[in-house]
Amino acid sequence: MPVYHATVGGERFRFDGLAALLAAATAERSGDQLAGIAAGSAPQRVAARYALADLPLRSFLTEVVVPYETDEVTRLIIDTHDAAAFAPVAAMTVGGLRDWLLARTTTPEMLHAVARGLTPEMVAAVSKLMRNQDLIRVARKCEVVTRFRNTLGLRGHLSTRLQPNHPADDLRGIAVAVLDGLLRGAGDAVIGINPASDSVENCLAMMQALDGLRERFDMPAQSCVLTHVTTTLEIIRRGGPVDLVFQSIAGTEGANRGFGIDLALLAEAEAAALSLNRGTVGQDVMYFETGQGAALSAGAHHGVDQQTLETRAYGVARAFRPLLVNTVVGFIGPEYLYDGKQIIRAGLEDHFCGKLLGLPMGVDVCYTNHVEADQDDMDTLMTVLGTAGVNFVITVPGSDDVMLSYQSLAFEDIDYLRAVTGAGPAPEFQAWLQRMDLAGEGALPDMAEMTRRLGIVA
């Protein structure tokens, strides 16, 4: 095992192995402290960053943080590494990569070309050397476009997941929340429900209701019930109207096993969804959700810091063809991200790392009620993510998800975010909003009038 050293303020620090070096270089967060792997002091953190900056990128191809022999995620990362794409940066150190990413001469096209040559660990490492503004600046250069019934990720566009969760999965209550979101221009990324009950029959009924709404009004959008991948496979077998296959994923084989999945199962689900051929402008059919701390909470972190493991989850995601990937950045709780500052930093890291790896990255700008954060922190995070060119955010009625019991963004927040960024919805969805007189160019239609006009509730 390589040993790394650096001296700060006359004190010499030692880091035994790459995992220890990456953990010590990470910005302070409660999850790494809980795992006992965080830097013990600010000087130690600075020393780790000095050592990390001098580390050749090639080192990440020979020293892994989770054993190759026992972890299929590590095998996926190493075995699918694109040496040709890596060539332009192969001679760089981690610090040199940071300088190259920030250089004005490094174009979006160059970032796109090198994406498959960067491993998740390389990208996690360089993010640890970056200030928040660096993460914003580089992510803004990255354009990742995906397609199903509309086109997501185009520069100058900002999409939303409309999340109409209901604690009893009541279709009338869900329909009212959908209408509320559509009135604010939400839903172009996906209309996605987290089911209170995971039964096949319940999830199928919600899929059919959402698909019936789409068909009735010729809506260029996709829907999803965020049930387990095995439930979705069964719904496909029963002939259900599945647009997207959803699954939570993590950065180690053990953590994914805790979710009840492996890479083979994800590949089976992708093939099943592709066989339906339901997209109109593209066939990107997967939707993945991640979050820092997932592997630690599953007892499958292997002594690796949570931000590096989060980025390894993006290595899993890009092995498929996701329409959407999002981090639920503040959802897991204060054991992993303690306060608003840690959530903001993590959200910027996750977005940067996902985009640099070539993923259509969104963020659930959120927090739980027992964390040291509030809606002002979320205002800050959504604003800087809008500046950074986030592909989509998640919006719920009144910022309060009454089924999952956490705080996210409200439908009204997308009005603000689009106004300050100048970004619009996906182009096909924008045209539909205008056709349906929902574009919000004048006064918003009355809720009761729209309920009657659309007929989506009795």
Side-chain angles (χ1 to χ4, degrees):
M1 174 190 297
V3 176
Y4 305 95
H5 297 91
T7 301
V8 171
E11 184 176 3
R12 186 168 176 80
F13 294 91
R14 169 182 170 136
F15 307 96
D16 294 329
L18 181 57
L21 180 63
L22 289 167
T26 305
E28 183 178 4
R29 61 205 49 189
S30 53
D32 294 336
Q33 292 166 340
L34 177 66
I37 58 175
S41 65
Q44 185 184 23
R45 184 173 294 110
V46 171
R49 290 175 180 174
Y50 274 131
L52 188 60
D54 291 337
L55 188 66
L57 291 179
R58 290 187 185 277
S59 301
F60 292 90
L61 301 177
T62 55
E63 185 182 0
V64 297
V65 295
V66 182
Y68 179 94
E69 296 77 14
T70 59
D71 189 273
E72 68 171 358
V73 176
T74 299
R75 293 194 293 275
L76 172 70
I77 291 167
I78 297 300
D79 294 350
T80 62
H81 179 250
D82 189 329
F86 182 58
V89 298
M92 294 182 186
T93 61
V94 176
L97 177 62
R98 174 188 179 274
D99 294 341
W100 182 78
L101 293 172
L102 290 168
R104 292 183 179 180
T105 52
T106 301
T107 64
E109 293 76 19
M110 294 165 71
L111 294 178
H112 177 76
V114 81
R116 288 280 173 177
L118 298 174
T119 69
E121 290 86 349
M122 292 177 193
V123 171
V126 76
S127 75
K128 298 175 193 296
L129 305 183
M130 296 178 123
R131 295 171 57 185
N132 286 0
Q133 67 169 259
D134 299 337
L135 299 172
I136 294 167
R137 183 174 180 176
V138 176
R140 187 173 177 84
K141 290 186 187 182
C142 300
E143 184 181 36
V144 182
V145 179
T146 57
R147 297 175 174 87
F148 191 74
R149 288 200 187 91
N150 55 33
T151 306
L152 303 172
L154 292 169
R155 200 169 299 281
H157 294 265
L158 173 61
S159 297
T160 66
R161 171 182 159 192
L162 195 169
Q163 183 169 297
N165 295 345
H166 191 280
D169 289 337
D170 180 80
L171 293 180
R172 287 164 55 100
I174 289 169
V176 170
V178 170
L179 174 56
D180 191 11
L182 292 175
L183 286 169
R184 293 290 180 176
D188 51 335
V190 65
I191 302 174
I193 304 171
N194 296 94
S197 167
D198 232 6
S199 73
V200 171
E201 291 74 18
N202 183 58
C203 293
L204 176 56
M206 288 190 286
M207 284 184 190
Q208 290 169 334
L210 290 177
D211 199 55
L213 174 65
R214 177 193 65 79
E215 287 188 327
R216 182 174 181 182
F217 298 104
D218 192 26
M219 190 188 306
Q222 39 281 334
S223 63
C224 183
V225 175
L226 282 70
T227 185
H228 192 267
V229 62
T230 53
T231 304
T232 304
L233 276 168
E234 178 57 29
I235 290 171
I236 291 174
R237 294 185 188 105
R238 295 189 185 188
V242 173
D243 287 346
L244 306 181
V245 173
F246 168 83
Q247 184 55 50
S248 295
I249 57 173
T252 69
E253 179 178 337
N256 283 326
R257 194 181 305 120
F259 285 137
I261 62 166
D262 58 21
L263 298 179
L265 180 60
L266 295 178
E268 178 187 354
E270 181 184 41
L274 286 171
S275 73
L276 301 179
N277 196 33
R278 289 176 57 82
T280 54
V281 298
Q283 294 295 332
D284 299 322
V285 297
M286 302 298 282
Y287 177 13
F288 294 119
E289 197 162 75
T290 67
Q292 288 195 27
L296 176 58
S297 68
H301 66 291
H302 297 272
V304 182
D305 69 274
Q306 64 184 39
Q307 190 258 335
T308 297
L309 292 181
E310 170 74 3
T311 309
R312 280 169 54 95
Y314 305 154
V316 174
R318 75 171 178 180
F320 302 92
R321 291 178 50 184
L323 180 78
L324 307 166
V325 179
N326 74 258
T327 168
V328 285
V329 66
F331 181 74
I332 301 182
E335 301 86 353
Y336 307 99
L337 296 171
Y338 177 73
D339 57 15
K341 181 175 182 178
Q342 291 188 13
I343 290 172
I344 290 167
R345 172 69 189 188
L348 290 174
E349 289 169 349
D350 293 352
H351 178 249
F352 162 86
C353 290
K355 291 290 277 293
L356 190 55
L357 288 168
L359 291 176
M361 203 69 200
V363 178
D364 190 353
V365 178
C366 65
Y367 64 102
T368 56
N369 289 318
H370 59 311
V371 75
E372 292 294 323
D374 58 29
Q375 212 64 32
D376 285 339
D377 295 314
M378 300 305 103
D379 286 351
T380 298
L381 179 53
M382 73 169 167
T383 302
V384 293
L385 285 169
T387 302
V390 68
N391 276 37
F392 70 101
V393 293
I394 291 179
T395 52
V396 307
S399 300
D400 185 7
D401 190 304
V402 296
M403 195 278 281
L404 293 175
S405 298
Y406 80 114
Q407 306 301 123
S408 187
L409 299 182
F411 298 138
E412 290 79 5
D413 290 326
I414 197 60
D415 276 347
Y416 155 77
L417 198 51
R418 285 176 175 156
V420 298
T421 61
E428 300 91 343
F429 194 78
Q430 175 68 24
W432 180 83
L433 290 171
Q434 291 170 340
R435 189 167 71 249
M436 297 297 293
D437 195 24
L438 295 172
E441 288 150 353
L444 284 173
D446 175 76
M447 174 73 86
E449 161 61 16
M450 288 307 302
T451 298
R452 183 196 61 76
R453 186 194 308 176
L454 294 180
I456 62 173
V457 287

